[in-house]
Amino acid sequence: MDRWFDRGLQPERTALSWQRTGLSAASVSIVTAFIAVRVGLSAVAIAAVLVATTAVALALLRFPRARVHVSGLTDPWPVLLRVGVIVVAAAVLGALVPSYSFVSSLLSSAGVQ
Amino acid sequence: MTHSLPPANERRPKSVYGIGEEPDVRFSFANERTALAWIRTGLALVAGGVALTTLTQFTHGQNVLLDLVAVIACIAGGCLAVVALASWRRNERALRLNAALPAPVALVWLVAGILVMTVCLGGYVVYNSVVSV
């Protein structure tokens, strides 16, 4: 088990990959929050800020700790599942804003005020 | 040497860790990073959708086609995240059983979807610029 230790920096690369993912999720959610505020969907904005906070927390929790180099100690599935849920939530929130403006333009072109 | 691993029956999901034998830990790490890369691809699609929404909000305010494309991009991004988790399980099972890795099915769909979307949006841009001349 020690033969591969730090060769190729696998744990570090994986931890950095987690961080990239968490920070990307956070930035997408923050932009969603801004645009939701602009459109006037404040509930969506609040949810997006919550999603962004959770994404940052998940990224920080997978930060490389000096002596944890055995993959079995940190099986990825539980965190992977949470990040998956976060991304799906970000996708739903991101889809809500254009759906809202899509429906409202259809309504206004149908003459409903 | 598996002295620091938790017992096999405590590791989740059971459908993965209940079968086969412990693979080279580098391969598990690589599988983990592959899943994360797929998740980021999904996130990029969501980001594209959100960017389109921002664009329509800051220009015309109302553009049914761009809104539709944005919704599709966001939903596709969410689906890719789910696919990423499913492929992680499939790949980890294959690693533990020392079997051949399954082909990345989502890749074909992703490329086809992006091609269709590129052609549609490109056509829309050309159409708009011809009309405005």
Side-chain angles (χ1 to χ4, degrees), chain B residues 56 79 81 91 94 124:
Chain B
T56 44
C79 291
N91 290 341
Y124 175 70

Side-chain angles (χ1 to χ4, degrees), chain A residues 1 4 10 13-14 17-18 20-21 25 31-32 38 62 71-73 75-77 80 91 94 101-102 108, chain B residues 1 4-6 11 13 17 25 29 32-33 39-40 43 50 53 57-58 62 64 67 71 74 81 85 88-89:
Chain A
M1 202 54 102
W4 61 269
Q10 298 278 339
R13 275 157 60 190
T14 308
S17 193
W18 277 104
R20 279 202 299 280
T21 310
V31 176
T32 307
R38 196 185 148 87
R62 290 298 281 201
S71 133
L73 286 180
D75 281 336
W77 179 251
L80 210 51
S101 76
F102 181 76
S108 67
Chain B
M1 289 247 293
S4 37
L5 289 175
R11 299 177 73 189
Y17 293 112
V25 75
F29 274 134
E32 195 174 327
R33 289 197 299 273
I39 286 181
R40 283 198 301 276
L43 266 174
V50 172
T53 314
Q57 290 303 324
F58 278 84
Q62 286 190 342
V64 175
D67 279 339
V71 171
C74 286
L85 296 191
W88 179 85
R89 287 173 80 122

Side-chain angles (χ1 to χ4, degrees), chain A residues 6 9 25-26 52-53 63-64 74 106 108:
Chain A
D6 257 1
L9 295 172
T53 317
F63 201 82
T74 51
L106 283 190
S108 67

Side-chain angles (χ1 to χ4, degrees), chain B residues 16-81:
Chain B
V16 169
Y17 293 112
I19 60 163
E21 53 190 25
E22 197 62 18
D24 188 326
V25 75
R26 286 173 297 184
F27 300 160
S28 288
F29 274 134
N31 186 24
E32 195 174 327
R33 289 197 299 273
T34 307
L36 289 173
W38 273 110
I39 286 181
R40 283 198 301 276
T41 308
L43 266 174
L45 280 179
V46 177
V50 172
L52 267 186
T53 314
T54 314
L55 202 65
T56 44
Q57 290 303 324
F58 278 84
T59 51
H60 309 291
Q62 286 190 342
N63 190 319
V64 175
L65 177 77
L66 290 188
D67 279 339
L68 196 62
V69 171
V71 171
I72 292 172
C74 286
I75 291 173
C79 291
L80 261 194

